[in-house]
Amino acid sequence: MAEHLTAAGVEVWFDRQVITGDRWAMVIEQQIDTCAAFVVVMSPASNSSVWVDREIDQAELNGKQIFPLLLGGRRFFRLANLQFEDVTDGRMPTAGFTTRLRGGQNTAPPAPAAAPVDAKTLTRQHNDAVRMFERGDYAEAADLLHHVVADRARVLGADHPKTLNSRHNLAYSIGQSGDRAEAVRLFRAVVADRTRVLGADHSDTLDSRHYLAYNVSEGGDRAEATRLYRALVADRTRVLGADHFDTLTSRHNLAHNIGWGGDRAEAVRLFRAVVADRTRVLGADHSNTLNSRHNLAHNIGEGGDRAEAARLFRAVVADRTRVLGADHPDTLTSRHNLAHNIGKGGDRAEAARLFRALVADRIRVQGAAHPSTEVSREYLKYYDA
């Protein structure tokens, strides 16, 4: 397409032209700020891209004329006021598109004015987005929440608790979509604003701090996550109590990060306490209790006591099978860890037998191409060699 437009006398820049070593975001921002017109190629992939959404935001902020092309999927909702051209099947834009591009004007025929969005409509849209990320459609939820945040800030005010709630959920959706760095940036801002508006001890502020630490951890900075979780555990214990569900969750995550940071002995100590407290408060069969038992066994194994880890994993596998079912992903994960610890304990033949059965079940339940199936298959090759 770039070659096609260039041949028609339109100078084109796109992000493949970023020189290695340049700051990618800075270069893109500069190009959007200085362009005469902005062309958006609409497709399912670009519709779910956080970066494409940011680039459109930047173009709109600077008053740039936007020219959409539909390569696949559906027209973007946010560009409904613009005339677009269908280029599905890879065909090139028409001469009429090039003429409009040169003219620098691209608006669709006038439509009836939409009613101003109100607080009730925004609540419905926010709840729609929550349902989206609850079913795993994180990119779609983030796309809707971008608009809800902007509209709630305009209608209710930037500091309104509902605006802050939408910002929290936007950051969560972006993190779950895979952009942990952007989620961390957004959560830092939400934490600061909730602290200022609601107070440091408000449950919503503590909740945002939890997810800030979570995204820092998932982004790979275990030391920073551990620091954040230590402070959060202290504050949740003080404000909510040691047995509160949220306090127990933060204690679990603190132990998890300490283990990944290399201090297996401390992680084991913390997990033993969390297992005991979750068993007492939530019950032995609660999924969170079983999760802490799994992590306790994992850290014991990684700390070198493979026999004790295998003993604990056998019990976790039995209980997860009984409570969650034999085909539940958590049950399959515990079976993987049981087989691995048995193999590391010296019984490679038994480990291979267990991994062979696990791979067969993962193929049946999760599919041959699932990442977890691939991992278990690699372990089977290792122990079966």
Side-chain angles (χ1 to χ4, degrees):
M1 185 187 73
E3 291 174 355
H4 173 81
L5 293 175
T6 300
V10 178
E11 184 179 353
V12 177
W13 185 94
F14 64 111
D15 60 15
R16 288 186 185 177
Q17 294 171 291
V18 176
I19 300 171
T20 302
D22 279 349
R23 294 181 62 187
W24 186 50
M26 181 179 295
V27 174
I28 291 177
E29 180 182 9
Q30 181 184 37
Q31 293 293 334
I32 293 172
D33 290 351
T34 58
C35 72
F38 183 75
V39 178
V40 180
V41 180
M42 300 183 293
S43 70
S46 62
N47 193 32
S48 64
S49 168
V50 173
W51 273 101
V52 170
D53 207 41
R54 287 182 192 149
E55 291 163 7
I56 295 173
D57 283 341
Q58 188 68 16
E60 290 177 338
L61 180 67
N62 285 276
K64 301 299 180 180
Q65 287 293 315
I66 300 176
F67 294 79
L69 296 170
L70 182 64
L71 181 62
R74 298 187 300 173
R75 169 190 53 75
F76 291 2
F77 175 79
R78 69 180 299 181
L79 301 180
N81 64 313
L82 299 177
Q83 183 176 353
F84 71 91
E85 183 154 322
D86 192 326
V87 292
T88 52
D89 301 321
R91 57 181 177 270
M92 291 295 107
T94 64
F97 177 86
T98 306
T99 299
R100 292 199 310 277
L101 190 60
R102 284 201 187 97
Q105 293 294 324
N106 189 44
T107 56
V117 65
D118 57 18
K120 185 176 180 180
T121 300
L122 290 171
T123 296
R124 177 181 57 77
Q125 291 176 345
H126 174 93
N127 292 339
D128 286 344
V130 170
R131 283 188 287 271
M132 288 174 189
F133 71 61
E134 284 177 344
R135 67 173 181 255
D137 296 333
Y138 299 113
E140 186 178 359
D143 185 59
L144 178 55
L145 283 166
H146 273 294
H147 302 293
V148 174
V149 166
D151 288 338
R152 274 188 159 171
R154 178 173 52 80
V155 173
L156 303 175
D159 287 345
H160 193 282
K162 289 185 176 181
T163 306
L164 295 171
N165 191 26
S166 292
R167 287 173 57 194
H168 173 100
N169 286 323
L170 171 61
Y172 175 81
S173 297
I174 287 173
Q176 292 300 101
S177 297
D179 193 344
R180 298 295 179 184
E182 176 64 3
V184 166
R185 186 185 71 80
L186 293 175
F187 270 122
R188 289 196 193 279
V190 174
V191 166
D193 290 340
R194 276 185 159 172
T195 301
R196 175 175 54 81
V197 175
L198 304 176
D201 289 345
H202 194 282
S203 60
D204 288 351
T205 305
L206 296 171
D207 195 35
S208 292
R209 287 175 59 192
H210 174 91
Y211 282 102
L212 168 60
Y214 174 76
N215 279 276
V216 168
S217 172
E218 291 298 301
D221 192 343
R222 302 291 183 177
E224 172 66 1
T226 296
R227 185 188 70 78
L228 292 172
Y229 274 123
R230 281 195 195 279
L232 180 60
V233 166
D235 289 340
R236 276 187 159 170
T237 301
R238 175 176 54 80
V239 175
L240 304 175
D243 288 346
H244 192 281
F245 186 92
D246 292 345
T247 306
L248 293 170
T249 298
S250 294
R251 287 173 58 194
H252 173 101
N253 287 359
L254 170 61
H256 176 74
N257 278 277
I258 287 174
W260 274 105
D263 192 345
R264 298 295 181 180
E266 175 65 2
V268 167
R269 185 186 71 81
L270 293 174
F271 270 124
R272 287 196 192 280
V274 174
V275 167
D277 289 341
R278 276 185 159 172
T279 301
R280 175 174 53 82
V281 175
L282 304 176
D285 288 346
H286 194 283
S287 60
N288 286 3
T289 306
L290 295 170
N291 192 22
S292 291
R293 288 173 56 194
H294 173 98
N295 278 273
L296 170 61
H298 172 76
N299 279 278
I300 287 174
E302 292 302 302
D305 193 344
R306 298 295 182 178
E308 174 65 3
R311 184 187 71 79
L312 292 174
F313 272 124
R314 284 192 193 280
V316 174
V317 167
D319 288 341
R320 276 185 159 171
T321 301
R322 175 176 55 82
V323 175
L324 304 175
D327 290 343
H328 193 280
D330 290 349
T331 306
L332 298 174
T333 298
S334 291
R335 286 174 59 190
H336 176 102
N337 281 270
L338 169 61
H340 176 59
N341 277 277
I342 287 174
K344 282 294 186 180
D347 193 344
R348 297 178 64 89
E350 174 66 1
R353 185 187 72 80
L354 292 174
F355 272 119
R356 195 172 294 111
L358 175 61
V359 168
D361 287 340
R362 279 193 151 158
I363 290 173
R364 175 177 56 81
V365 175
Q366 298 173 301
H370 193 279
S372 296
T373 305
E374 293 290 342
V375 170
S376 292
R377 188 182 284 121
E378 289 301 313
Y379 275 77
L380 171 59
K381 290 178 183 178
Y382 173 76
Y383 286 113
D384 206 25

